[in-house]
Amino acid sequence: MKVTVLSGGVGGARFVRGLVDVVPPADVTVIGNVGDDVEVLGLHVSPDLDSILYALADLNDEERGWGRAGETWEALAAAAGWGGGSWVRLGDRDIGLHLVRTQALRAGEPLSAATRRLVAAAGLETSLLPATDDRLRTWLDTPAGSFAFQEWFVARAHVDEVDAVRFEGADAATPAPGVLQALAAADLLLIAPSNPYVSIAPILAVRALRRAVEERTVPCVAVSPLIGGRAVKGPADRMLARLAGGTTPASVASCYPGLVDALVVDEADADALGGLGEVRPIVARTLMRDADSRRRLAEAALGAVPA
Ligand code: GDP
Ligand code: CA
């Protein structure tokens, strides 16, 4: 069974890591968000692709939730000492990856090709594709003004309420090579428990990609990033409350109109299943705290496929 997953960073990476324990890794394609991509000190950083790559390669820091395990911070501290900006926290090991990617991009390689080489260097069989090779950047409109994603998320610690999310470059963006093929070849489409507004929406903002999901002939199953109406981490619950009018499973499903056939919701939300319409709820334990719980969540999502 071939599975194609739309994924943001940390929540998506945890989910994908569980998925490749229950589906052969070579049968999984992950389409990652690039709306968070940012230039830091001359380096091209793709935070969401990196979270997925590190999780798949078991290089991620489980406790911190992002970046590499066993990280040190000398390079960034030295850069700060020379007057360089250090608000995006890049560890020394992490920088190694950004150096290689940045060199490839400067040499004219598309992001998808550079990512493919990084995945191969990690010895992984799973395909990891950026949604697009084109420049697509997430912007947040807030009462305090408009901010580029990392400025809002990192520098301002996502304290500003969000009135609208915009994707600069989306109109002209085309799916990266392999993306439409992976969507067409899949027996099942999954949307990871990622932030619907700033992780999944920028992927779906690539028009041809969204159309391919709309016109799917196989099931598409999303996993809710909320437990008991609360985000496990980050601003998804606040954004849903303000932009979708609530934090119920129906609020999450409303982010994916015509795009999902089923929604995996946590047991803690099982008493709030009203308003889902055509979307079938699958109740499961969705907290991914270790390998077992990640695997069980993947199985719950896969269970949506009729045998
Ligand atoms: P980011 O790009 O690093 O912000 O990561 P994502 O958008 O992929 O994931 C963030 C979302 O993951 C948040 O809304 C969290 O609520 C959700 N999340 C993180 N861990 C878990 C978990 O164990 N279970 C569920 N259901 N959601 C989770
Ligand atoms: Ca992200």
Side-chain angles (χ1 to χ4, degrees):
M1 181 170 76
K2 294 212 178 301
V3 181
T4 297
V5 196
L6 309 189
S7 173
V10 174
R14 284 185 184 146
F15 178 70
V16 166
R17 181 63 189 85
L19 186 63
V20 298
D21 275 346
V22 296
V23 177
D27 292 341
V28 175
T29 299
V30 186
I31 300 175
N33 168 39
V34 294
D36 305 5
D37 284 22
V38 63
E39 280 256 327
V40 185
L41 295 165
L43 303 177
H44 180 107
V45 181
S46 295
D48 287 6
L49 297 179
D50 294 345
S51 291
I52 297 162
L53 179 61
Y54 289 152
L56 285 172
D58 290 326
L59 293 171
N60 59 313
D61 189 304
E62 298 251 0
E63 244 164 73
R64 202 184 325 120
W66 54 272
R68 277 190 68 159
E71 193 58 280
T72 53
W73 310 90
E74 298 295 332
L76 199 68
W82 293 110
S86 58
W87 58 276
V88 176
R89 290 184 62 207
L90 304 181
D92 298 329
R93 293 180 169 197
D94 195 26
I95 285 172
L97 168 60
H98 307 317
L99 288 170
V100 172
R101 173 193 289 122
T102 303
Q103 182 188 35
L105 295 178
R106 290 231 171 107
E109 211 175 330
L111 181 60
S112 57
T115 305
R116 193 182 321 121
R117 287 202 292 115
L118 295 167
V119 166
L124 300 172
E125 294 172 284
T126 301
S127 297
L128 174 58
L129 305 171
T132 180
D133 279 333
D134 300 320
R135 188 188 156 85
L136 185 154
R137 294 290 179 272
T138 300
W139 284 82
L140 294 307
D141 294 338
T142 81
S146 291
F147 302 103
F149 179 82
Q150 298 294 351
E151 196 185 350
W152 170 72
F153 196 85
V154 179
R156 300 178 66 90
H158 50 77
V159 292
D160 312 277
E161 297 294 344
V162 174
D163 294 317
V165 187
R166 289 180 289 117
F167 307 107
E168 179 193 346
D171 286 349
T174 58
V179 164
L180 295 181
Q181 290 82 344
L183 291 170
D187 299 299
L188 174 67
L189 304 182
L190 294 175
I191 298 179
S194 293
N195 186 311
Y197 294 103
V198 292
S199 291
I200 302 299
I203 299 174
L204 293 167
V206 179
R207 284 216 186 101
L209 195 164
R210 185 185 186 101
R211 202 175 314 124
V213 179
E214 281 168 352
E215 294 172 355
R216 70 196 175 280
T217 56
V218 298
C220 180
V221 180
V223 182
S224 173
L226 302 186
I227 298 182
R230 305 281 308 264
V232 176
K233 205 179 165 187
D237 48 3
R238 280 169 52 221
M239 296 183 83
L240 278 155
R242 191 166 167 100
L243 298 170
T247 58
T248 64
S251 319
V252 175
S254 75
C255 295
Y256 305 126
L259 296 168
V260 299
D261 304 291
L263 179 70
V264 179
V265 304
D266 196 83
E267 287 176 352
D269 300 289
D271 57 356
L273 298 179
L276 278 171
E278 307 272 275
V279 177
R280 185 161 65 86
I282 299 168
V283 177
R285 278 196 199 166
T286 71
L287 185 64
M288 300 175 284
R289 78 170 82 74
D290 54 21
D292 257 3
S293 50
R294 283 194 297 259
R295 216 175 290 133
R296 278 200 306 271
L297 180 55
E299 279 164 356
L302 293 170
V305 189

